[in-house]
Amino acid sequence: MPDPAELRISDQDRERVAREIREHFAAGRLTEEELSERVRAVYEAKTEGELRALRADLPQLPATRAELKAELAERRGELRRRLLQESGGSLVPFVICTVIWAAAGAHGMFWPVWVALFALIPLLRGAWHLYGPAPDLERVERELARRAHGGHRRGGHRRHRHQRRL
């Protein structure tokens, strides 16, 4: 495995670093001479290590609005995928109950809908927290993590450990 500093860079990488250096110049961190030297070196750079060296003495710039938006969209997509996977798994009892209802003659009220609610309510609640008027991605992450670890409620896990000690 090659050293990450020795990996070749793309034109897009060079453009991004040149933009960052120009922003540092605009903020007053570099002189005109340093700006032209560094920008020239950026376009001559071939590896990630060379680009890193050109920014080593400069602070990290805050993420741009577009970068933040892209990160949010990626994170939201990942949470949506996890939410759908978990909800899809909880629809299995609904499918089984529907098959039983159909095999029994499909008479009367469609009672498996009550089983579907156990899958749909968490799905709808998660979708609201992902796409509602005040998205709360941390809350969705906590809920998915809680479900993945056996559904322990706040404090419930601690009580369980305490009971084992007795």
Side-chain angles (χ1 to χ4, degrees):
M1 186 80 184
D3 180 18
E6 297 303 316
L7 291 176
R8 303 283 290 199
I9 54 173
S10 68
D11 289 339
Q12 184 179 6
D13 295 330
R14 288 182 193 92
E15 289 298 329
R16 179 180 40 81
V17 173
R19 186 179 64 248
E20 288 177 18
I21 289 175
R22 287 184 189 103
E23 287 181 36
H24 285 295
F25 170 73
R29 293 186 188 99
L30 300 172
T31 65
E32 282 187 55
E33 185 179 316
E34 290 173 313
L35 171 68
S36 58
E37 286 175 14
R38 289 187 193 215
V39 169
R40 186 174 39 255
V42 163
Y43 288 116
E44 293 172 357
K46 291 184 175 80
T47 66
E48 181 64 37
E50 291 174 274
L51 287 183
R52 217 177 288 146
L54 292 168
R55 296 179 300 187
D57 62 337
L58 298 170
Q60 182 74 27
L61 290 173
T64 65
R65 189 175 190 95
E67 291 170 337
L68 291 173
K69 196 172 185 178
E71 182 183 323
L72 176 65
E74 182 180 333
R75 188 171 166 212
R76 186 179 274 163
E78 173 65 21
L79 289 172
R80 181 184 61 234
R81 183 190 61 75
R82 287 177 51 200
L83 189 64
L84 288 172
Q85 280 180 334
E86 287 200 14
S87 297
S90 62
L91 284 175
V92 171
F94 167 71
V95 172
I96 292 169
C97 290
T98 302
V99 169
I100 292 170
W101 177 77
H107 298 294
M109 185 184 92
F110 183 65
W111 57 267
V113 73
W114 297 107
V115 178
L117 288 176
F118 286 104
L120 291 177
I121 289 173
L123 176 65
L124 292 174
R125 189 175 62 222
W128 179 258
H129 292 300
L130 282 176
Y131 297 102
D136 188 358
L137 304 185
E138 286 76 23
R139 185 172 183 172
V140 176
E141 283 180 335
R142 284 191 311 267
E143 182 66 22
L144 288 170
R146 184 185 64 78
R147 286 190 218 161
H149 292 17
H152 294 291
R153 291 262 180 217
R154 287 181 218 164
H157 192 306
R158 277 181 252 140
R159 280 195 303 267
H160 184 68
R161 278 190 294 174
H162 179 70
Q163 287 173 351
R164 275 190 263 157
R165 276 192 250 146
L166 294 176

